[in-house]
Amino acid sequence: MTEQVAVLGVGMHPWGKWGKNFVTYGVHAARAALADAGIPWRDVDLIVGGETVRNGYAGYVAGATFAQALGWNGARVATSYAACATGAQALDTARSRILAGQSEVALVVGADTTPKGFLAPNAGERWDDPDWLRFRLLGMTNPAYFALYARRRMDLYGATSEDFAQVKVKNARHGLHNPNARYRKAVTAQDVLDSAVVSDPLHLLDICATSDGAAAVVLVSAEYARRLGAERPVRVAAISTVTPTFPNTVLDMPLLATEPSGVVGAPERTFKEGIAHAAYEEAGIGPEDVSLAEVYDLSTALELDWIEDLGLCKRGEAETLLRAGETTVGGRIPVNPSGGLACFGEAVPAQALAQVCEVTWQLRGGAEGRQVEDARVGITANQGLFGHGSSVLLTL
Amino acid sequence: MSDTATPAIEGWFTTGPEPALIGSRCSTCGCVFFPRTEGFCRNPVCDGESFDDVELSRRGRIWSYTDAQYQPPPPYIAGDQWEPFALAAVELPEGLVVLGQVAHGYGVDDLKVGQEAELVVETLYSDDDGERTIWRWKPIP
């Protein structure tokens, strides 16, 4: 299966707060990806859009919106919603159609315009909605969830605020030369520690912002890539979009409680471990084969969780890896060479695709100023609301 | 907290000297869910459709904790005087972890992962109907 679908083009609209409509960003990214692939829009036979439920009615940010903006070309159309994993699920839809022989050239687009400040639930009283109740009854914001995970690392594994700050320092350095990053400025550990505490132990600079942005990927069948003369294109080795296994025993945003393990026992793997495991299993490779990882650093501490969830080190050892410089470009297993969410901020329906764009550039050897040497296998990982998560494995 | 205080959400916890959260126990497989549920059991090997209300253990161990140093956005109802508060996730013997604010007067410096905590009921905010209460976790030294 790994031989059959190729990433032929990737493109992005720079992340930031640009004050424009998301369609503008999406079209920019789509055209960049098509130009990168050397494929005209009229040859695309499937367009898949990543959707967010935030900006108006659900169908608004959808495949058809981008298809119309690019100019109706009669392509088949699909739309995906999977919270932070939206882009990966959209990619999976495109890949499945290609594998089934129903498509040869697919364009996948995700774009978002985000509000300022804390992400808050929609207006109105919704007493059966956990996302509303967690604010109403507990004042439980997104950073507070991230802070719970961070605190566990401190109390269980001896992580320090300095460690978390060093994740930010590293990612800021990685993102310095990334033209699509929103924040391109060196940060010191002291800057992080001097920034206000939002939810103890996390400071403002430990937490990612929300951004506008867009990313697009052109997927094609191996046969189509050959016809086009593409030599050694980047291949999709796996796309994992599994659900958790009952009972999900790690407290999950926006819920007020976990599921009970008292009767049936905890599952073999946590949700995040399961996401990565499914990707490795599908690709037939393991963590030892990975050259680099793009993970969802909604907070600095969460990057350390992901390193372990992906099996890149044992549980509780991510700080050791970080302190030794192994997760920096030039180290054994660079993590977030793009600069990560620390340098981008989150643009939900685009973010999982942005991870795929970065891994593609890395595997091609074209990630200027942040290139991981001899990159052959890259993995992405993210998790979002409501049991959604994804991991994409790309190989040369 | 006055005698006329009422819960900020109905049917989620008992009040009185030994308050407790109210969960739902599946009458087929015995899994206990919080908040309460009805209609279908979420255990994938269980086709149960009926539940009994059950009071959850009042004590558990702290799974993790944090605080809110900025006022959360609506629908959180903040009092006239904004005061940071701590939050804890507590693992109960039933095998589930339940979030809650931490009892008034306690901050993150009073908490530790693995430490015991007990459920109390305190005032969350006041409105035209008087004081509205919520469950909170009180650390046991």
Side-chain angles (χ1 to χ4, degrees):
Chain A
M1 187 179 288
T2 63
E3 297 304 308
Q4 293 170 12
V5 177
V7 178
L8 218 54
V10 290
M12 290 168 71
H13 183 288
W15 264 228
K17 285 280 186 191
W18 308 107
K20 294 182 200 160
N21 190 289
F22 71 91
V23 183
T24 308
Y25 311 138
V27 168
H28 178 100
R31 288 182 171 170
L34 289 167
D36 184 43
I39 294 174
W41 159 237
R42 65 172 179 276
D43 289 357
V44 171
D45 62 30
L46 169 68
I47 181 161
V48 190
E51 161 191 307
T52 179
V53 292
R54 196 180 324 110
N55 297 334
Y57 69 93
Y60 196 51
V61 188
T65 305
F66 299 122
Q68 183 190 36
L70 290 162
W72 299 121
N73 74 345
R76 303 211 175 202
V77 62
T79 294
S80 270
Y81 175 75
C84 303
T86 291
Q89 188 178 282
L91 202 67
D92 192 37
T93 298
R95 180 182 68 147
S96 298
R97 291 273 185 102
I98 291 170
L99 288 172
Q102 296 170 327
S103 165
E104 280 198 308
V105 189
L107 173 65
V108 184
V109 188
D112 202 7
T113 299
T114 44
K116 275 191 171 168
F118 283 128
L119 290 179
N122 292 323
E125 298 218 340
R126 297 198 311 284
W127 290 92
D128 57 353
D129 176 2
D131 196 35
W132 187 84
L133 286 167
R134 57 140 166 166
F135 283 97
R136 176 61 157 236
L137 300 178
L138 304 178
M140 188 76 195
T141 59
N142 292 7
Y145 282 92
F146 310 153
L148 291 178
Y149 310 139
R151 173 54 68 177
R152 271 181 76 78
R153 293 206 69 83
M154 297 177 102
D155 282 15
L156 295 181
Y157 310 131
T160 64
S161 292
E162 169 80 17
D163 289 328
F164 301 155
Q166 289 298 346
V167 173
K168 175 74 174 186
V169 171
K170 167 185 74 72
N171 286 344
R173 195 163 57 234
H174 286 172
L176 272 180
H177 304 290
N178 189 337
N180 290 306
R182 175 178 174 188
Y183 303 105
R184 274 175 281 169
K185 186 171 170 286
V187 172
T188 67
Q190 203 56 48
D191 291 337
V192 181
L193 298 172
D194 286 346
S195 67
V197 175
V198 176
S199 278
D200 181 278
L202 297 180
H203 295 75
L204 190 62
L205 290 183
D206 283 306
I207 299 162
C208 93
T210 59
S211 289
D212 301 353
V217 174
V218 176
L219 279 193
V220 303
S221 66
E223 169 58 26
Y224 190 94
R226 264 193 298 277
R227 282 210 306 275
L228 224 63
E231 285 175 35
R232 290 187 81 217
V234 171
R235 308 280 178 158
V236 180
I239 302 176
S240 157
T241 56
V242 295
T243 68
T245 302
F246 181 89
N248 189 356
T249 55
V250 178
L251 189 67
D252 206 2
M253 188 167 80
L255 303 179
L256 285 81
T258 65
E259 291 170 333
S261 62
V263 172
V264 298
E268 189 184 348
R269 294 180 191 87
T270 66
F271 180 32
K272 285 161 72 202
E273 288 167 348
I275 291 166
H277 177 79
Y280 288 130
E281 199 171 56
E282 187 175 302
I285 59 177
E288 65 281 0
D289 300 310
V290 171
S291 320
L292 69 115
E294 281 283 314
V295 306
Y296 229 55
D297 56 323
L298 292 166
S299 83
T300 50
L302 204 58
E303 175 173 307
L304 300 167
D305 284 345
W306 274 119
I307 288 169
E308 295 165 7
D309 295 325
L310 292 178
L312 302 175
C313 69
K314 291 201 185 91
R315 186 64 62 191
E317 292 183 356
E319 283 80 8
T320 310
L321 220 58
L322 171 79
R323 291 168 196 160
E326 301 287 32
T327 57
T328 305
V329 170
R332 180 173 71 76
I333 173 69
V335 177
N336 283 329
S338 69
L341 270 56
C343 291
F344 277 76
E346 188 186 21
V348 177
Q351 209 67 44
L353 290 173
Q355 293 180 316
V356 168
C357 290
E358 175 66 14
V359 172
T360 301
W361 282 316
Q362 289 287 347
L363 297 188
R364 288 175 180 172
E368 209 173 308
R370 59 186 193 283
Q371 180 63 48
V372 174
E373 211 176 314
D374 196 29
R376 310 188 61 80
V377 177
I379 191 167
T380 75
N382 67 38
Q383 189 205 344
L385 302 184
F386 315 121
H388 290 114
S390 71
S391 176
V392 177
L393 261 167
L394 301 179
T395 58
L396 266 183
Chain B
M1 193 170 77
S2 72
D3 292 344
T4 57
T6 52
I9 185 162
E10 211 184 312
W12 280 39
F13 56 94
T14 64
T15 55
E18 295 207 329
L21 296 168
I22 304 171
S24 300
R25 180 190 282 132
C26 173
S27 42
T28 306
C29 74
C31 278
V32 175
F33 296 91
F34 178 84
R36 284 159 75 202
T37 187
E38 59 181 11
F40 47 87
C41 181
R42 299 204 301 275
N43 177 356
V45 297
C46 176
D47 57 6
E49 295 185 341
S50 64
F51 296 86
D52 302 309
D53 281 355
V54 56
E55 287 192 8
L56 302 188
S57 303
R58 300 191 53 242
R59 282 192 178 199
R61 294 203 173 272
I62 294 175
W63 183 82
S64 195
Y65 56 94
T66 180
D67 60 12
Q69 303 215 0
Y70 287 83
Q71 185 173 317
Y76 186 72
I77 299 172
D80 300 334
Q81 203 91 47
W82 160 247
E83 248 187 279
F85 56 86
L87 293 145
V90 173
E91 186 165 14
L92 302 179
E94 291 85 347
L96 44 77
V97 175
V98 181
L99 264 178
Q101 292 186 348
V102 171
H104 189 77
Y106 295 92
V108 290
D109 291 341
D110 304 309
L111 308 171
K112 201 80 197 159
V113 169
Q115 184 184 352
E116 215 177 354
E118 183 177 68
L119 189 112
V120 295
V121 168
E122 295 182 346
T123 301
L124 177 63
Y125 62 90
S126 297
D127 59 18
D128 294 343
D129 298 326
E131 291 176 45
R132 309 302 299 261
T133 60
I134 196 69
W135 78 89
R136 282 183 175 153
W137 295 114
K138 181 179 171 180
I140 298 169

